[in-house]
Amino acid sequence: MKKILGLVAIMTIATTAFTYAQSKTDVALNQVLTAYYEVKNALAADKKDVAIEKAKVLSAKVNAVNHKDLPAEQHKTFMEQAAVIKSKSAQLAGSNDIKTQRKAFEGISYAMIKTLKSLKFNSQTVYVQHCPMAKASWLNEKENIENPYYGSMMFDCGDVSETIKSK
């Protein structure tokens, strides 16, 4: 009987530690998502200088994620997509041309979409939106379209292609 109770105690501690580690990782991933939204909002508002600064913040937030606690398959996905996000963020931050920034943002967006769908970490509802003119998608914290690929030229061009409910 003591062995069974001891085993149950060990399993409970291990599960609690994993859940705590996972929740800390989810918090960090939601900070990445918030930083992503800030880049998206800057591009949607045609603010290329703000987009540069926000892309640097996004990259720093990706670096701050404690990914080692993720299960193997999620860890692999995170590592692959984090590399894309950081590379494209550097491209965006290294350009003063908003068209170049928007092209880099497209790569960031697809990596973020893949990461979110694989890791399912969002604490709020997320909208996957698509612009048929740009032939590109992005994530939005609001259901209303705010097109980062055309900004003020076509601010509300696009549609919601998917809704990802909060975890």
Side-chain angles (χ1 to χ4, degrees), residues 28-90:
L29 287 166
N30 276 286
Q31 290 174 351
V32 170
L33 187 58
T34 298
Y36 167 87
Y37 290 148
E38 291 174 353
V39 176
K40 184 261 310 167
N41 291 336
L43 292 172
D46 301 325
K47 296 181 178 177
K48 63 183 180 178
D49 293 335
V50 174
I52 289 170
E53 293 310 310
K54 297 302 181 182
K56 292 175 185 174
V57 171
L58 174 59
S59 191
K61 293 290 183 185
V62 170
N63 282 333
V65 174
N66 183 6
H67 53 81
K68 293 176 182 128
D69 293 326
L70 292 170
E73 194 59 37
Q74 289 183 351
H75 185 264
K76 180 180 179 218
T77 299
F78 175 79
M79 294 305 290
E80 291 169 355
Q81 300 313 310
V84 173
I85 294 166
K86 291 188 290 187
S87 170
K88 294 296 182 180
S89 292

Side-chain angles (χ1 to χ4, degrees), residues 10-22:
I10 290 170
M11 287 175 38
T12 302
I13 291 169
T15 303
T16 302
F18 176 75
T19 302
Y20 177 71
Q22 188 68 29

Side-chain angles (χ1 to χ4, degrees), residues 9 23 69 93 108 113 149 163:
S23 68
D69 293 326
I108 294 169
I113 291 167
Y149 299 113
T163 301

Side-chain angles (χ1 to χ4, degrees), residues 42-49 51 95-104 148-149 151:
L43 292 172
D46 301 325
K47 296 181 178 177
K48 63 183 180 178
D49 293 335
S95 177
N96 281 320
D97 177 56
I98 199 156
K99 286 183 181 180
T100 302
Q101 290 177 338
R102 287 177 167 145
K103 189 64 183 164
Y149 299 113

Side-chain angles (χ1 to χ4, degrees), residues 7-8 35 37 41 48-49 54-55 116-117 123 137 149-150:
L7 205 55
V8 169
Y37 290 148
N41 291 336
K48 63 183 180 178
D49 293 335
K54 297 302 181 182
L116 180 62
K117 287 182 176 184
S123 61
S137 297
Y149 299 113
Y150 284 102

